[in-house]
Amino acid sequence: MVLALTHRSFAGRNNERLEFLGDAILNFVAGEALFDRFPLAREGQLSRLRARLVKGETLAVLARGFDLGEHLRLGSGELKSGGFRRESILADALEALIGAIYLDAGIEVARERVLAWLAGEFEGLTLVDTNKDPKTRLQEFLQSRGCELPRYEVVDIQGEPHCRTFFVECEIILLNEKSRGQGVSRRIAEQVAAAAALIALGVENGND
């Protein structure tokens, strides 16, 4: 695992090979899950959904939720420039970690970890519009009806720093009850809560 957290600025033997392997595993696991989850989806739709799941921004958010940056082995230059916060470095390290898990424990454990980490992202996916996330779709729906924008509130955070779960409530004027979401980051939890609100409003049915 130490090698997975070693950036090329720190040593010649670094996490780039593990990153390559982890990227392949991540794409496979995400693709397989999407194939099963959306049996009527076209190839193009599946490709766009997978791109959203495995994009650098998503991976970096997950990595920040684990405080992964605090454990990276970086060269002095990267440390001074704040490399432990850089999206690309965090995303690459998470992919390297996936590769290391695969080598240490096998594909089933790697699959279980990837699916657990991406669970919140999967909850927010729909074929209605694969280019917009649930928060954006909810905001546009409310704006089209002249309603106030949703309010999101973190109501609880559980777990150790490297494995936190955020609990968020979403309040909108059209619903009597707040919708709820949880995830390994605040952003993911908000997306899940927004997706739940869209279902409660009858805008989406959750099986699209």
Side-chain angles (χ1 to χ4, degrees), residues 49-141:
L49 289 172
R50 183 175 62 183
R52 277 184 51 190
L53 284 173
V54 304
K55 65 183 179 180
E57 178 188 354
T58 300
L59 301 182
V61 167
L62 290 171
R64 290 189 185 101
F66 307 149
D67 284 337
L68 198 60
E70 302 299 318
H71 304 283
L72 293 178
R73 303 170 81 201
L74 301 171
S76 58
E78 285 292 353
L79 280 173
K80 291 177 182 177
S81 64
F84 59 92
R85 291 190 297 266
R86 190 166 300 135
E87 181 176 290
S88 60
I89 290 179
L90 289 171
D92 291 347
L94 188 65
E95 289 180 336
L97 193 59
I98 292 169
I101 291 172
Y102 165 75
L103 291 178
D104 285 350
I107 188 61
E108 291 304 324
V109 174
R111 178 189 282 113
E112 186 273 329
R113 280 293 83 211
V114 168
L115 293 178
W117 291 343
L118 293 177
E121 293 290 334
F122 271 106
E123 289 302 317
L125 291 181
T126 173
L127 295 180
V128 173
D129 187 338
T130 55
N131 293 313
K132 295 179 180 178
D133 60 46
K135 284 184 67 176
T136 301
R137 295 198 303 274
L138 178 60
Q139 180 174 317
E140 291 180 351
F141 174 81

Side-chain angles (χ1 to χ4, degrees), residues 174-185:
L174 296 180
L175 293 175
N176 293 326
E177 294 186 359
K178 299 175 183 178
S179 59
R180 295 175 176 81
Q182 68 183 72
V184 296
S185 71

